[in-house]
Each structure stands twice: as structure tokens, then as C-alpha cells.
Amino acid sequence: GEVYLPQGTYTCAEQIVIDYDYTTIRGSGWATVINVASQSFNVIYANTQDYVTLKDFKMIGSAGAGQSGDLINFAAGSTNNVVENLYLTNSDDISIYMLGGNNTITGNFISPSDNYAVYSAGNNNIITENRIIQTADVMAMYSGGYWNRISSNYIQAPQNGSQYVIWLNGYFNTVSGNELNGGGTGIIIELYHYNTVSDNNIYTPNYYGIRVY
């Protein structure tokens, strides 16, 4: 089923738990705002639910409080999900955390985040056409697993930063057509093989544009 949130500001003081497969939470655009009072918990959470869609709203976190809850957290048992056209800002921990496979993260704007903007650790995931502005010296995107595609994203990291902009950790992944600015290293591929990196524009990294080890 679908939960539709009309334009307005909604204060979220408790966890939003997805209990059913094929659930959609949809706003009317970024004028639908979920204002998070505290990130002492994962704000939107799915454990084993599949085919969940989150789209067309804005979430404002509680950055700077030192709490460990993510704005969006899909556990390893949750697959075939879509996160689309969200504006995620001021996350106190990770903005989008996904451990399952066959997920799509597309068309989102994320800025800033106290930890990763996107952390994805499943197989066959697509991360495309997102715009990420990181102001803290933290990693912007992590992708672990097999056959994932990271394409056509724009990521701005701090100039003279020390962290990776995209950290790739797995086999048979493709990273292409991204524009990366700043950070310590633009793209790092660690310990794994058979990955393809092509047609990326990497500007002003503090250390390396692409590092493989």
C-alpha cells in the first residue's frame, strides 16, 4: 500500500518501521518535510520487507548530536527497494544505509551528512544520478558486493580532505560517468578484482584520483 504525505512539516519523534512488502511512502515533493527530533534510532527502517519505495520528500536530521541512527536504514533481508527524489540533510549518522540487494538509489540530493551519504553493501544495486555535497571530512559513498553500478553521480567533498569519495569493495562492479570534486582520494578499489572504472571526471583530490590496492 501507499502512505501519502501532503505538503507540510511533520515532526518525527519515533521510528517509522516498514512492516509490509510493497509499501510506498510518498510525499508531494520537497515541500513535504520530515523533521527528525533525534537520531537515537534509525528513522525509517525495514528489516525483511521487500519492494519498498521512498520518494518525493525531504528529511532533516539532527546532525552534531553524536547519535548513531541513520535517516534511512534497510537491513540485509530487505531487497528490491527504491529510494528516489529525496532531499536528505543534516544526518547525524549515515543518510542512506542499505545492506540488501537489487536496490535502486536515484535522483536524490544529500547534504550534508556526519557520516556516509550512501552506504550500500549488497549485490546488483544501482546508485545513479544523485547529487551529494559533503562538508565534513567523511567518506561520501561506500559500495560493497558484486555487480553493482555507480553512475552519473555528482559528489562534492571538502577541498584538502583526507577521506575517500567513492570506496569500492567487491567484484564485477562498474563506476562510470561520475563527477567527483575534492576529498582525499576520488575512487579507491580495495582488495577485489574485475571492476570497471570509466569516464569519470575527478577534480582536485588531495592525494589520488583513483587508487587500486
Side-chain angles (χ1 to χ4, degrees):
E2 179 174 285
V3 177
Y4 172 66
L5 300 175
Q7 177 178 330
T9 299
Y10 302 82
T11 298
C12 179
E14 297 183 7
Q15 187 176 59
I16 300 169
V17 179
I18 308 296
D19 287 325
Y20 299 100
D21 297 345
Y22 297 97
T23 296
T24 295
I25 300 177
R26 180 174 63 89
S28 63
W30 293 352
T32 297
V33 180
I34 299 175
N35 196 3
V36 180
S38 168
Q39 282 184 241
S40 58
F41 47 81
N42 298 316
V43 181
I44 298 178
Y45 177 69
N47 185 10
T48 59
Q49 291 69 36
D50 303 324
Y51 298 98
V52 174
T53 297
L54 308 176
K55 65 184 302 183
D56 301 337
F57 58 86
K58 179 178 181 178
M59 296 182 73
I60 303 174
S62 57
Q67 296 172 325
S68 59
D70 307 320
L71 288 181
I72 296 168
N73 184 299
F74 286 3
S78 184
T79 65
N80 294 282
N81 305 301
V82 176
V83 177
E84 180 179 4
N85 191 36
L86 300 188
Y87 182 171
L88 305 176
T89 186
N90 290 337
S91 179
D92 203 18
D93 203 3
I94 298 171
S95 293
I96 301 174
Y97 181 88
M98 283 190 167
L99 294 185
N102 298 295
N103 298 304
T104 299
I105 300 170
T106 183
N108 303 288
F109 179 72
I110 305 173
S111 172
S113 180
D114 282 357
N115 205 330
Y116 297 94
V118 176
Y119 187 104
S120 172
N123 302 325
N124 296 297
N125 291 315
I126 298 171
I127 305 171
T128 187
E129 297 183 353
N130 301 284
R131 184 174 179 86
I132 297 171
I133 310 295
Q134 287 285 61
T135 56
D137 189 20
V138 295
M139 298 181 202
M141 184 181 295
Y142 173 86
S143 177
Y146 304 155
W147 301 291
N148 297 303
R149 175 165 63 88
I150 300 171
S151 66
S152 304
N153 300 285
Y154 173 86
I155 305 177
Q156 175 71 59
Q159 299 297 316
N160 300 314
S162 64
Q163 301 295 332
Y164 313 144
V165 180
I166 295 177
W167 181 7
L168 192 64
N169 199 334
Y171 294 95
F172 303 105
N173 299 293
T174 299
V175 181
S176 65
N178 301 284
E179 183 171 334
L180 312 178
N181 289 271
T185 297
I187 299 170
I188 186 158
I189 304 172
E190 184 177 11
L191 301 178
Y192 292 91
H193 313 287
Y194 308 110
N195 296 293
T196 299
V197 178
S198 66
D199 300 316
N200 299 284
N201 293 318
I202 303 174
Y203 302 101
T204 63
N206 201 27
Y207 303 124
Y208 308 99
I210 299 173
R211 187 179 183 191
V212 181
Y213 78 99

